[in-house]
Amino acid sequence: MTATTEATYTVTGMTCEHCVRSVTEEVGEIPGVTDVDVDLASGRVTVRSRGEVDSGAVRAAVEEAGYQLSA
């Protein structure tokens, strides 16, 4: 059985609930991701997954949604 992992990222450029939905949908499509929690106020995105998720895949999904991961 694969362990559940959790990683938190900071996303810049989100200003509204539409932004939250866009990021949630894009990151949620990454294989293995089981849950995405986006906190608009802090810009934090918590990704839960089965096994490790490549941070490059998260960055690509956030950029596809139109936002940026903080360095």
Side-chain angles (χ1 to χ4, degrees):
M1 181 170 174
T2 305
T4 299
T5 61
E6 181 176 295
T8 301
Y9 304 89
T10 301
V11 175
T12 58
M14 296 187 300
T15 59
C16 64
E17 286 302 316
H18 173 73
C19 302
V20 169
R21 282 192 302 277
S22 295
V23 170
T24 300
E25 288 173 12
E26 290 294 337
V27 174
E29 291 179 7
I30 298 170
V33 170
T34 58
D35 185 53
V36 180
D37 181 42
V38 179
D39 181 57
L40 180 60
S42 67
R44 294 205 195 302
V45 177
T46 302
V47 179
R48 292 175 194 84
S49 59
R50 291 182 303 277
E52 292 291 323
V53 171
D54 178 52
S55 62
V58 174
R59 180 177 299 279
V62 168
E63 290 176 357
E64 180 67 26
Y67 308 98
Q68 300 291 318
L69 278 187
S70 285

